[in-house]
Amino acid sequence: MLFTPPHADMPEAAPSSASPAPAASTASEAASPTGQAVSEEAELRQAVVAYSDAFLDAKPTAGYELFSARCKERVTLSEFTGMLTAAKQMYGKAMTIKSLEAQISGDLARVTYTNDVPALNQSKEPWVRQDGRWKQDDC
């Protein structure tokens, strides 16, 4: 499957599988492996939600920026725009992500997420960290 539309409006501070780092964490807590894992997962969640919103709200430039370099080589912005236009016509607008689970291993991740429209659910969608930012790599 080339792309299945993602979903939106999930609060970035409310991850389902891990608690966010406390606002008043110390430098040593922020540098701890647990603090780093929470931050890493929160960044990934934020990227997934942003991609989902862009995809379903037909914002091709924003969505394309969240595409991996590999995917940009395979799919042009024009092709991507056509996919987003079709998704907007089919689904109308961004949707709330109901659940999201991420498996992160270094700069690679697999993300499974669901919402009210089963056709939009993703299972182990590939993501890659490039230049310090998570990018959607399902192309």
Side-chain angles (χ1 to χ4, degrees):
M1 152 170 56
L2 183 59
F3 295 100
T4 36
H7 352 357
D9 296 340
M10 182 175 150
E12 62 187 72
S16 62
S17 63
S19 300
S25 65
T26 64
S28 62
E29 288 173 322
S32 74
T34 303
Q36 183 178 8
V38 171
S39 174
E40 196 172 62
E41 186 172 327
E43 290 172 5
L44 177 57
R45 287 171 181 273
Q46 184 177 13
V48 169
V49 169
Y51 180 81
S52 174
D53 287 350
F55 199 102
L56 293 171
D57 282 338
K59 296 178 181 173
T61 303
Y64 203 70
E65 285 302 311
L66 291 163
F67 233 12
S68 68
R70 182 181 75 84
C71 287
K72 286 180 179 179
E73 289 176 5
R74 298 180 73 183
V75 179
T76 67
L77 178 56
S78 177
E79 292 168 326
F80 188 69
T81 299
M83 290 187 302
L84 270 59
T85 300
K88 175 93 172 149
Q89 290 172 350
M90 286 177 64
Y91 302 107
K93 63 179 180 171
M95 298 177 197
T96 302
I97 291 176
K98 299 293 182 183
S99 68
L100 188 151
E101 294 179 18
Q103 298 172 336
I104 301 171
S105 179
D107 288 337
L108 302 176
R110 292 288 181 168
V111 182
T112 297
Y113 48 106
T114 63
N115 67 34
D116 288 333
V117 178
L120 299 176
N121 295 346
Q122 297 295 312
S123 180
K124 298 181 181 177
E125 181 178 71
W127 284 74
V128 61
R129 188 173 19 225
Q130 296 175 334
D131 300 322
R133 297 187 181 263
W134 286 105
K135 304 289 183 164
Q136 201 269 14
D137 196 41
D138 187 15
C139 55

